[in-house]
Amino acid sequence: MTSAITLAEALAAGPVVLDGGMSNQLESAGHDLSDELWSARLLAERPEAITEAHLAYYEAGADVAITSSYQATFEGFAGRGIGPERAAELLTLSVELARAAARRAQTERPLWVAASVGPYGAMLADGSEYRGRYGLSVDALERFHRPRLEVLAAAGPDVLALETVPDADEARALLRAVRGLGVPVWLSYSVAGDRTRAGQPLEEAFALAADADEVIAVGVNCCAPQDVDAAIGTAARTTGKPVVAYPNSGESWNARTRTWQGRPTFTPARLHTWRDTGARLIGGCCRVGPESIAGIARTLRG
């Protein structure tokens, strides 16, 4: 069921479970995502597959579904011959599909929808979201993000997920772009060790969100599980806000071959440390599937 309380209110009461990776769930169902639009391509071609992916996570125990709009941009759709009107419809559809899954979920738990807003590098589809430093100004990045943020906000999600942000400059642009939209946000960096992917100290990066009223949580995602531990403490200490944490499985992405390599290191054993140091939104990103989310839900709910 959809929720009568806000996500911010829920975070004040205790941990909330996020879903896992959209792409791996779609691939496990047999869908080919070897496309520059990635999972966003299925918004146009197989929307029912996206609803099923969301439903699998809700029924595994997730309280929040993150929409399939991570790589959905006006520019990216234009490259496939999709005009701005249809692109706006597909962005809106991403929220509607998650809502449809929430209505179908066989649970009495409150459920929420987070509209995914990926970084500029996601549109480039060349691994830039793991580097940042695109050579664009903060103003230019704000102009890029604002139009789709307006469309996603108008679709009525519970929160905007500003996720996998590799660069404090892009975070600054995103925080400017969400002003006045009337929808709360979380800000989540992709990190390596104690720095953003672009190399800025995390304390400085998190501090950008400390006084942003729109931000209800700040943290990290799409990183190695071992990088989460210290980042949570830094985020909580720097901002005083609830922390969001949803790392990858621990495998690494090869942008050249577009494949995951290595062995998973994500385990529910880490969850107690994350929760005790300030994490309130906890889930998984790439290569973390419904089985792992079910484990997270069992652990966090005792």
Side-chain angles (χ1 to χ4, degrees):
M1 68 176 186
T2 56
S3 177
I5 67 170
T6 68
L7 183 56
E9 290 169 337
L11 294 178
V16 173
V17 180
L18 292 175
D19 63 5
M22 171 61 69
S23 61
N24 50 267
Q25 182 60 15
L26 291 171
E27 287 175 332
S28 70
H31 299 287
D32 179 11
L33 302 184
S34 58
D35 183 283
E36 290 189 354
L37 286 178
W38 208 24
S39 57
R41 177 175 59 83
L42 298 188
L43 285 169
E45 297 179 6
R46 292 292 303 275
E48 70 281 0
I50 293 173
T51 301
E52 293 296 332
H54 288 312
L55 183 60
Y57 282 117
Y58 278 137
E59 294 190 336
D63 304 311
V64 183
I66 303 174
T67 66
S68 55
S69 51
Y70 173 81
Q71 208 143 341
T73 64
F74 286 100
E75 292 81 357
F77 282 132
R80 297 294 297 273
I82 298 173
E85 184 175 341
R86 178 57 175 158
E89 291 174 353
L90 294 175
L91 284 163
T92 299
L93 179 63
S94 71
V95 176
E96 294 172 347
L97 295 174
R99 288 281 185 220
R103 290 191 295 270
R104 288 175 54 188
Q106 299 297 308
T107 179
E108 295 301 313
R109 298 190 320 275
L111 301 177
W112 295 272
V113 170
S116 173
V117 181
Y120 179 83
M123 182 270 295
L124 299 177
D126 63 356
S128 293
E129 68 261 51
Y130 298 114
R131 298 189 299 269
R133 306 281 84 182
Y134 316 116
L136 298 179
S137 69
V138 172
D139 288 344
L141 288 168
E142 182 183 2
R143 288 192 297 271
F144 167 79
H145 284 295
R146 178 71 186 199
R148 67 172 174 152
L149 281 164
E150 290 175 345
V151 172
L152 287 170
D158 298 292
V159 62
L160 294 165
L162 314 180
E163 57 176 355
T164 325
V165 179
D167 193 325
D169 284 349
E170 186 163 25
R172 188 176 285 106
L174 282 162
L175 292 173
R176 282 172 27 180
V178 298
R179 290 174 186 163
L181 294 180
V183 179
V185 308
W186 79 59
L187 173 64
S188 179
Y189 288 98
S190 177
V191 303
D194 62 354
R195 292 180 176 265
T196 67
R197 294 285 186 169
Q200 300 110 339
L202 286 185
E203 187 168 346
E204 295 177 12
F206 290 138
L208 297 174
D211 297 323
D213 293 338
E214 296 87 355
V215 178
I216 62 170
V218 62
V220 295
N221 79 290
C222 211
C223 59
Q226 57 267 30
D227 286 338
V228 173
D229 300 20
I232 290 174
T234 302
R237 187 171 59 250
T238 303
T239 68
K241 296 177 184 287
V243 177
V244 56
Y246 52 118
N248 295 336
S249 65
E251 297 158 275
S252 60
W253 173 250
N254 185 318
R256 183 181 60 82
T257 62
R258 297 184 66 81
T259 58
W260 290 93
Q261 299 174 344
R263 301 178 63 181
T265 59
F266 186 102
T267 66
R270 299 179 181 272
L271 301 181
H272 296 294
T273 298
W274 296 350
R275 181 186 59 193
D276 294 346
T277 51
R280 290 296 176 268
L281 272 164
I282 303 175
C285 200
C286 300
R287 307 284 285 179
V288 178
E291 183 176 347
S292 294
I293 297 305
I296 291 173
R298 287 192 298 269
T299 300
L300 293 180
R301 294 177 185 141

